Amino acid sequence: MLKKKADKSYFLPILPICFFFFAYTSPALWGFWAHQRINRLAVFSLPPEMQVFFKKNIEYLTENAVNPDKRRYAVVGEAPRHYIDAEAYGDSALYKLPFYWNEAVKRYGEDTLALNGTVPWAIQQYKFQLTEAFRQKNARRILRVAADLGHYIADANVPLHTTRNYNGQRTGQEGIHAFWETRLPELFAEDYDMFVGPAEYEEKVALRAWRAVRQSNAALDSVLQFESQLSKQIKPEHKYALEDRNGVVIKTYSREFSQRYHEMLHQQVERQMRASVKMVSDFWFTCWVDAGQPDLAHLAALSQDESGKDEEIKEKQSWLQRLFNVRSENEN
């Protein structure tokens, strides 16, 4: 049961292997597109002392914002970091669960926590990892952990990452997850106001992580109810449309249905994206401050040398090998 739960997908119902391969071949896939945009925009809220390093590596932070999704089916323990099923712990769970991991483990055990998702604790864990990377002035590790932290923060700001009904499968709304976090941003995000101001120091990291999850969960009713209401008003043939994606014709939500749903949500997706950008930049900044504000200027030239790139390529190949259970060449 644990494995089945951990493998749940937040995208349109396709085979995990197909999704994993598509992730490597499509730049258009919050969905891939939104995760990358959130990390990219967060860079511009950082102070000049950080931008000297982060702007130089903005393409890395953008492209690798989706790494956690790419490895979720290949790396043990990865999947639970993306969500938390609030209803698994009873009423008002998000206000009663322990803020800190060690306390949660004592109360529920690691297996139960992994079964129901760990995103608020994962954010705290990666916050401390990034602080340590800054303290060690390890350029490559700073970039890798910062990219991952941005991903988990963005996931915490998605309402459907806070429920067992993560894809509307319990309410006859299958596909709503990708609709909300991928289709809507792809269609409308270019018009969003994403200016969030300068990064600010976060004194209460754990509380901020839990507040993000709580606010997301509070928006869940609207996500599900508005889609249900609109589906009753629009004929099925007008709800969906066929579109060409990289030479492949897929069934997706029509622009008419998407537009009306987007209007019913009253800028909800925009608010959650803005909250993600703001939180990512604040956490990156907080990690740097907590590490003693190390000088990042001299790290810029060391961030992505060729050996580091080769190492990352090998790591990503290992994800694929584990996913497909392929033997290495020297085993043939």
Side-chain angles (χ1 to χ4, degrees):
M1 184 175 181
L2 178 58
K3 181 178 180 182
K4 181 178 179 181
K5 181 67 175 184
D7 283 351
K8 71 183 187 179
S9 172
Y10 293 109
F11 300 89
L12 288 171
I14 56 178
L15 290 175
I17 291 177
C18 294
F19 159 70
F20 196 91
F21 176 76
F22 187 66
Y24 272 96
T25 58
S26 172
L29 277 177
W30 340 331
F32 272 29
W33 185 90
H35 270 300
Q36 292 174 333
R37 189 173 181 85
I38 288 166
N39 267 15
R40 188 178 193 88
L41 292 175
V43 171
F44 296 97
S45 291
L46 299 174
E49 297 88 344
M50 294 185 70
Q51 284 199 17
V52 67
F53 175 76
F54 276 73
K55 266 193 176 181
K56 179 179 176 59
N57 294 285
I58 194 169
E59 295 303 327
Y60 177 94
L61 292 163
T62 300
E63 294 172 7
N64 290 276
V66 298
N67 278 355
D69 276 338
K70 291 179 180 180
R71 64 179 181 247
R72 62 182 294 118
Y73 297 105
V75 177
V76 175
E78 175 59 48
R81 297 175 188 147
H82 298 249
Y83 66 92
I84 183 168
D85 292 340
E87 60 268 62
Y89 299 99
D91 293 339
S92 303
L94 298 181
Y95 294 87
K96 298 177 180 178
L97 285 167
F99 269 22
Y100 304 105
W101 176 252
N102 289 339
E103 295 175 17
V105 170
K106 289 180 182 178
R107 183 180 300 184
Y108 297 102
E110 290 191 25
D111 288 347
T112 297
L113 296 173
L115 178 67
N116 297 304
T118 62
V119 67
W121 298 295
I123 290 172
Q124 297 175 58
Q125 175 191 3
Y126 276 73
K127 184 274 172 189
F128 291 117
Q129 287 186 18
L130 182 56
T131 300
E132 187 60 26
F134 275 123
R135 188 173 288 120
Q136 295 175 358
K137 299 181 181 179
N138 186 327
R140 285 189 10 236
R141 182 155 179 79
I142 289 170
L143 292 173
R144 294 176 66 180
V145 179
D148 283 358
L149 175 59
H151 184 102
Y152 300 129
I153 287 174
D155 276 353
N157 283 282
V158 176
L160 288 160
H161 281 248
T162 68
T163 176
R164 286 174 170 169
N165 192 28
Y166 57 90
N167 196 33
Q169 76 279 8
R170 293 171 177 242
T171 50
Q173 296 171 284
E174 289 85 351
I176 193 172
H177 198 114
F179 182 33
W180 191 97
E181 75 168 17
T182 301
R183 179 67 167 164
L184 295 183
E186 284 181 351
L187 290 176
F188 307 112
E190 291 296 339
D191 297 324
Y192 293 170
D193 176 9
M194 299 303 292
F195 178 75
V196 299
E200 299 173 292
Y201 183 79
E202 179 55 68
E203 294 184 357
K204 299 179 179 180
V205 170
L207 177 60
R208 181 75 172 275
W210 281 98
R211 185 181 297 143
V213 172
R214 291 169 181 171
Q215 291 175 346
S216 296
N217 188 254
L220 181 61
D221 285 350
S222 297
V223 173
L224 295 169
Q225 290 177 12
F226 289 159
E227 195 276 344
S228 179
Q229 292 172 15
L230 188 58
S231 293
K232 295 175 182 177
Q233 300 170 15
I234 290 186
K235 296 180 180 180
E237 58 266 30
H238 294 155
K239 180 176 179 178
Y240 299 102
L242 298 178
E243 290 191 1
D244 184 290
R245 293 290 184 94
N246 298 321
V248 178
V249 177
I250 65 168
K251 180 181 178 181
T252 187
Y253 292 87
S254 70
R255 291 178 179 267
E256 175 190 357
F257 188 87
S258 301
Q259 178 70 50
R260 291 182 60 177
Y261 181 58
H262 193 252
E263 291 171 357
M264 291 176 74
L265 289 173
H266 297 293
Q267 299 178 301
Q268 183 191 81
V269 179
E270 178 179 356
R271 288 194 300 273
Q272 294 306 108
M273 282 193 71
R274 283 174 55 88
S276 298
V277 173
K278 177 61 174 170
M279 188 172 172
V280 172
S281 63
D282 286 354
F283 270 56
W284 285 350
F285 176 62
T286 300
C287 293
W288 177 68
V289 172
D290 286 350
Q293 303 182 40
D295 182 5
L296 301 181
H298 76 284
L299 294 183
L302 305 175
S303 56
Q304 280 298 102
D305 56 26
E306 289 303 318
S307 62
K309 292 179 181 179
D310 290 344
E311 182 179 326
E312 296 214 354
I313 290 173
K314 290 179 181 178
E315 180 182 6
K316 291 177 181 179
Q317 288 175 340
S318 74
W319 301 344
L320 280 171
Q321 184 171 322
R322 275 175 280 176
L323 180 65
F324 291 104
N325 195 24
V326 176
R327 293 181 298 173
S328 63
E329 290 183 6
N330 58 10
E331 292 177 321
N332 291 332

